[in-house]
Each structure stands twice: as C-alpha cells, then as structure tokens.
Amino acid sequence: MFATYSLRHKCLLALTALMTLITPIAAASFGAANISFGQVFLLFTEPMLGASASTDGVTTITERIVFELRMPRIILAFIAGAGLALAGSVLQTVTRNPLADPYLFGISSGASFGAVLVLSFFGTQGLVQQWLSQSDSLWAGAIYRSGLFSHDAWWSWSSLSLPVGAFIGALFSVLLVLSLSGFGRASQVERMLLSGVATSFMFGALTSLVLYFSSPQAAASVLFWSLGSFAKASWSGLIIPAVVVCSSVIIILAFKRQVIAIQAGDETAHSLGVNVARLRLYMLILCSLITATLVASCGGIGFVGLMIPHTVRLLFPGQQPIFTTVFVGGLFMVWIDVLARCLLSNQELPVGIITAAIGSVFFLFVLRHRR
C-alpha cells in the first residue's frame, strides 16, 4: 500500500508540476482584452526562438497587457494559494484538527484588522494622508511631497506598513487564541478552534467599526480589498510575499519530522524529544506571518487553507506531501482568479466571495463525513 501511495504521489506531483508550467500561459489568455492562447504562447516562446512577437501578429499593447497586468496577477494568485494551503496544512497538523484554517482560526481576521487600521490611517485615502495634504505646516507639506506614502517601491512606507500592521494583528490574534484555549491544558487542542472562531468574530466586528468611522472613499476601497482581490498586483509587490512563502516552505521542511510527530499526540511527541508547546507556538507564529503577508497583498481569502490540505490528505492517507499541497493550492487560486475575472461580463468578482462559497459547502461536506 505504501508503494502504491508513493507512486500515486509521484504521478500527481509530476502532473501538478506540468500544470504549473502550462497554467500561466493558459490563465493569461483570459480577461477583458481578447488575447488568444496562441498569442500568449508566442510571447513566452519569443526569447527562445529569437523572433519578434510584433512581426507574428502580437502587438506591443498585447505584450504589455500580458506581462505588466496579467502575469503579476497570476504569480501573486499562485503565491497566495500556495501560502494559504501551506499555513492550513501546518495548522491542521499541529492542532490535530482537520477543520483548522487561518480563516477559521482567527488569524486572517486579526491580520485584516491590522491591515485595515493601516489603510484607514496611512492609505491613499487615509486620515493621515488627508491631513498632510491639507495642513499648512511646512514639515507636513515636506512629508507629503516626499512620496513617503507612495506605492512606487516595495520598500516604501506604504508597502511595508501594510504587512507589518497585518502581522501585528495576526500575532495578537494567535496570542489571544492561545490564552483563551489555555496554556498547558489537556483540552487545549480541542478549545483552539472554538477560541479561533470567537476571535474571528471579534476582529471582524472591530474591522467593521473602523470602516464605519473611515471616509467614504477609504471605506469603499478597503471593503473591496477585504473581500480578496489580485487586481492591484505588480512586479514590485511580489517580492515580499514570494520571500515569505518560499522561506516558510524551507523552514517547515526543516521541522517536518517534529511537526508530524505532534500529529501522533503530544505524549508521543514528548517521548520523541519534541518540545510540543514551543514548536506549536513557533508554527502558529509562522502561519501568522504567511497569512499576514498574503492578507496585506490581496485581502482576506478564506477556506483555501481548509480545502486544499484536506483534499490532498484524502488522496494520500497517512502522508504529509508539502510540495503537492503547495502546488495544488497555487493552481487552485490561479483558476479561481480566472473564474472571478470571467464569471460576469465587464465586472470582476472578489476572489474571497468565490472561495467562501466553495469552502462553506466543503466545510459541511467534511463535517458530514466526520460523523
């Protein structure tokens, strides 16, 4: 049986790797502008063939649409799906609960609250930005003209403050969940999910309160962002999410044996020399960092961390295929984004609405089969 699962795992991993190579070309052919798969394929193969795409019927405008608008969006969607799936897989393992997920655990809500605070105060339509633009003070005018709050570079204040604010909110959410579930209690694992749901509702209410007191322009932009969207993806905005998710994959691979040991039970892990409380805390903080970075980049997207790891485990019982989880999560999110762009004509649906609709049905399916 192990050999069968191993062969199946290798075949699926090869299939997902192949899909990862084909998906960017296929996904880039969907959108408001009518660009065919063949045109996108020519743009990708042009450097290898040494030919000019413009001479083969592919205009410069088409090239800019593909490489400046659609490709950053596709890559960000893949990173977001991979990161959320990875965070969900780790949460489900360290809590030994297949229903654990950054969204249900309260981490996503805490990150959203921290990001909304930053956007409401320091965003383009935020209170600080409006005050600086209207102030007669020389130093306020100098700060406003310096471009400190611009999004032109990934290292600018606006680009860095959002993930930092989201991480602080997510970290506070994790600490609150741990304190509510009780440090060192035997029932801590069982109480974590309930504490996470309560924390999620609390941060959701605080986020709504901040939006209520924000300006109408800021509230409108934050509301669409909070539902999840890759519309503002850019090449410079990919740096931080890519670094965080890739580093997290390496760290989790380094601690894979210890994490799997927790799944066998706290007592078993202790007998194998694993400091369960410390490792669980470190993994929760790492999942908070992943979730906060992705929430800051593309808003709140729920249930991906629940669906993908659970589906992969159904395909490979008794195994923890991290790379397969990452690939499947990334591919899933890319095609969900394609669906969000194409489902309605001349209108784009927030990605979070689609994942919530699919995830809620999946959640009920998991509950039904766990009885």
Side-chain angles (χ1 to χ4, degrees), residues 50-67:
S52 174
S54 59
T55 62
D56 295 313
V58 181
T59 63
T60 306
I61 296 177
T62 301
E63 186 175 356
R64 293 189 64 182
I65 290 174
V66 171
F67 287 112

Side-chain angles (χ1 to χ4, degrees), residues 119-130:
L119 286 173
S120 299
F121 283 94
F122 301 104
T124 307
Q125 303 292 337
L127 297 176
V128 175
Q129 183 84 331
Q130 292 181 5

Side-chain angles (χ1 to χ4, degrees), residues 197-215:
V197 172
T199 303
S200 179
F201 278 112
M202 184 191 72
F203 279 114
L206 291 175
T207 301
S208 301
L209 183 65
V210 172
L211 288 176
Y212 180 78
F213 286 106
S214 300
S215 64

Side-chain angles (χ1 to χ4, degrees), residues 104-356:
L104 296 174
F105 223 64
I107 299 175
S108 182
S109 298
S112 296
F113 175 66
V116 165
L117 277 180
V118 172
L119 286 173
S120 299
F121 283 94
F122 301 104
T124 307
Q125 303 292 337
L127 297 176
V128 175
Q129 183 84 331
Q130 292 181 5
W131 178 78
L132 288 174
S133 63
Q134 298 171 3
S135 177
D136 296 330
S137 173
L138 292 176
W139 64 268
I143 294 176
Y144 179 75
R145 291 188 298 271
S146 67
L148 182 64
F149 295 95
S150 67
H151 292 267
D152 295 335
W154 68 270
W155 43 262
S156 65
W157 164 257
S158 294
S159 299
L160 293 177
S161 61
L162 199 58
V164 169
F167 178 64
I168 293 174
L171 186 60
F172 183 71
S173 174
V174 166
L175 295 177
L176 187 60
V177 167
L178 288 175
S179 62
L180 289 174
S181 58
F183 289 97
R185 290 190 180 186
S187 61
Q188 182 188 28
V189 172
E190 289 75 14
R191 293 163 60 95
M192 272 187 176
L193 189 60
L194 295 175
S195 303
V197 172
T199 303
S200 179
F201 278 112
M202 184 191 72
F203 279 114
L206 291 175
T207 301
S208 301
L209 183 65
V210 172
L211 288 176
Y212 180 78
F213 286 106
S214 300
S215 64
Q217 297 85 356
S221 61
V222 169
L223 180 61
F224 183 80
W225 166 86
S226 64
L227 295 174
S229 174
F230 303 109
K232 294 185 178 180
S234 63
W235 288 111
S236 60
L238 295 176
I239 297 175
I240 296 177
V243 170
V244 170
V245 172
C246 291
S247 302
S248 300
V249 171
I250 295 172
I251 293 172
I252 291 170
L253 285 174
F255 288 93
K256 184 179 178 180
R257 291 182 180 273
Q258 292 91 324
V259 171
I260 293 176
I262 294 180
Q263 197 173 23
D266 289 3
E267 294 80 5
T268 304
H270 274 301
S271 65
L272 294 174
V274 177
N275 190 328
V276 175
R278 185 169 62 185
L279 182 62
R280 182 174 287 141
L281 178 61
Y282 288 168
M283 290 297 108
L284 288 174
I285 293 175
L286 185 61
C287 291
S288 302
L289 178 61
I290 297 172
T291 306
T293 305
L294 297 176
V295 165
S297 301
C298 49
I301 301 174
F303 292 102
V304 178
L306 169 68
M307 292 185 287
I308 303 303
H310 200 84
T311 303
V312 172
R313 273 200 306 274
L314 288 175
L315 293 173
F316 308 108
Q319 296 188 34
Q320 297 292 330
I322 292 178
F323 281 117
T324 304
T325 303
V326 168
F327 279 127
V328 173
L331 293 172
F332 172 80
M333 187 56 68
V334 170
W335 289 108
I336 288 294
D337 181 49
V338 170
L339 183 64
R341 282 184 279 150
C342 302
L343 199 60
L344 299 178
S345 59
N346 302 321
Q347 192 174 358
E348 179 181 324
L349 275 177
V351 176
I353 293 179
I354 300 177
T355 58

